[in-house]
Amino acid sequence: MDRPQSDSLPQDLSEALKEATKEVHAQAENAEFMRNFQRGQVTRKGFKLVMASLYHVYVALEEEIERNKDNPVFAPLYFPEELHRRAALEEDMAFWYGPSWLEAVPYTAATRRYVDRLQQVGRREPELLVAHAYTRYLGDLSGGQVLKKIAQKALDLPSSGEGLAFFTFPNIDSATKFKQLYRSRMNTLEMTPEVRQRVTEEAKTAFLLNIQLFEELQELLNQDPEDQHPSQAAGLRHRVSSRLQDSIPAEQSRGTPLLSNLSQMPLIRWVLTLSVVVATVAMGFYAL
Ligand code: HEM
């Protein structure tokens, strides 16, 4: 009854963002990588890759937030103690990639695109930064908590929470209450209808950047035959080789499966060659 008409956005920015991103949220949940994750089908390699991307994304997001912490277009949403993930992700990187993690963490093409957009927004259109903070932090405080439990079980991680610091918000007692506070702060931001429209569009872009990231990671995993065996033992056994493969940019590794499939079929080539030889000899005898 009091729902807004389809061509107008709800009054509150928090409601407008929720409404505008409903469809892309469903799309994100249904991305193959996320679908598999929800089924508990996540491997160490896949998890390491997605965490590495998130590391780069949060470094950029929080750098831009720091840049704009006193700017009235963002200031009410500045909650570094409660929300910021960089330190947690650095801990996770050390757990997953070892002491030299800084040189070892992969930086894929889709991650770069996401980082580029965050930097552009923070530097040139800071009024849109709210869209990116909303998309990531409210997501982490919602579905992110489910993903944490799934990862802990699927990857057989210690109950101490090692490797999952990203998903833990020690300075937030109630995620539900904090999300309410965050929404009410979003609703205090003053913006013209034109800016509101651009903010909701930017939130959709933020979701799409996340979806592209999942699609790219899934493609990388599909190209890796080792990733078809999700046991923990395999994950550990291949730690060194996967570290090497982790740093291959997406574009470089594209196209390799076809080549490797062909090189794995020498038997077929031999059978074909032999058949041709036999047929030729038989025809020779027949001609005699
Ligand atoms: C397996 C994947 C996902 C699951 C299961 C999931 C689940 C959920 C759930 C249960 C909520 C709470 C809805 C509510 O309180 O009304 C939520 C909210 C949210 N999620 Fe997700 N989500 C997933 C992926 C994502 C992704 C990839 C993003 C963005 C990067 C995202 C961003 C958000 C945001 C921004 C909200 C807050 C919506 C609002 O209250 O305005 N989610 N999600």
Side-chain angles (χ1 to χ4, degrees):
M1 267 175 289
D2 58 351
R3 281 179 73 79
Q5 290 176 345
S6 57
D7 57 346
S8 68
L9 289 167
Q11 201 61 34
D12 286 341
L13 178 65
S14 64
E15 282 301 312
L17 285 172
K18 188 167 185 161
E19 182 89 11
T21 57
K22 212 172 251 175
E23 212 175 301
V24 273
H25 187 277
Q27 237 175 290
E29 280 181 276
N30 285 310
E32 191 182 348
F33 183 81
M34 275 295 150
R35 269 205 328 267
N36 290 343
F37 204 123
Q38 289 174 84
R39 292 187 197 126
Q41 291 166 2
V42 55
T43 58
R44 283 179 176 250
K45 172 151 179 138
F47 192 72
K48 280 176 67 171
L49 275 173
V50 77
M51 295 310 283
S53 291
L54 290 179
Y55 164 72
H56 294 294
V57 165
Y58 279 86
V59 167
L61 175 62
E62 290 167 9
E63 260 172 28
E64 299 314 318
I65 287 177
E66 288 298 329
R67 190 189 307 282
N68 290 288
K69 64 179 185 207
D70 298 320
N71 188 333
V73 298
F74 191 82
L77 300 176
Y78 185 60
F79 288 103
E81 295 301 317
E82 292 85 350
L83 291 179
H84 285 198
R85 303 284 82 205
R86 183 180 181 156
L89 280 161
E90 283 174 355
E91 257 180 61
D92 288 341
M93 290 302 97
F95 176 84
W96 291 107
Y97 290 92
S100 307
W101 61 268
L102 202 51
E103 296 98 66
V105 283
Y107 193 5
T108 65
T111 310
R112 243 176 255 264
R113 279 199 296 276
Y114 197 165
V115 164
D116 284 350
R117 182 63 198 156
L118 288 166
Q119 291 174 340
Q120 214 171 24
V121 163
R123 292 158 202 200
R124 297 200 211 129
E125 301 175 274
E127 65 279 11
L128 305 185
L129 198 53
V130 49
H132 287 278
Y134 160 80
T135 301
R136 282 300 342 170
Y137 293 125
L138 286 207
D140 300 334
L141 289 170
S142 306
Q145 297 310 295
V146 181
L147 299 180
K148 176 187 180 180
K149 292 199 183 86
I150 295 174
Q152 197 148 24
K153 198 163 165 228
L155 304 174
D156 197 15
L157 292 170
S159 55
S160 55
E162 272 181 291
L164 295 168
F166 168 74
F167 297 96
T168 312
F169 291 84
N171 296 326
I172 293 181
D173 291 331
S174 156
T176 308
K177 280 192 187 143
F178 188 85
K179 281 194 284 183
Q180 279 165 4
L181 168 66
Y182 201 83
R183 288 188 190 107
S184 69
R185 291 289 185 91
M186 284 199 292
N187 297 337
T188 66
L189 293 174
E190 282 186 23
M191 52 182 75
T192 62
E194 182 266 332
V195 171
R196 258 167 70 88
Q197 185 64 38
R198 282 170 51 230
V199 168
T200 50
E201 284 306 310
E202 189 65 23
K204 286 191 245 176
T205 301
F207 270 83
L208 291 176
L209 287 164
N210 280 276
I211 292 168
Q212 283 169 11
L213 205 143
F214 300 143
E215 284 172 350
E216 182 198 58
L217 295 189
Q218 189 58 50
E219 207 176 311
L220 284 171
L221 295 173
N222 289 346
Q223 288 169 6
D224 180 2
E226 287 174 13
D227 203 65
Q228 312 308 316
H229 308 284
S231 83
Q232 184 194 357
L236 289 172
R237 212 164 40 239
H238 299 304
R239 203 184 166 108
V240 176
S241 69
S242 67
R243 187 172 296 175
L244 280 172
Q245 292 189 6
D246 281 351
S247 16
I248 301 171
E251 316 89 288
Q252 274 178 30
S253 50
R254 243 167 238 150
T256 49
L258 185 61
L259 285 174
S260 58
N261 282 348
L262 283 175
S263 67
Q264 280 162 15
M265 291 196 290
L267 189 64
I268 295 174
R269 278 208 305 271
W270 276 108
V271 169
L272 282 173
T273 312
L274 208 63
S275 311
V276 171
V277 170
V278 168
T280 312
V281 171
M283 277 165 67
F285 276 121
Y286 184 74
L288 284 173

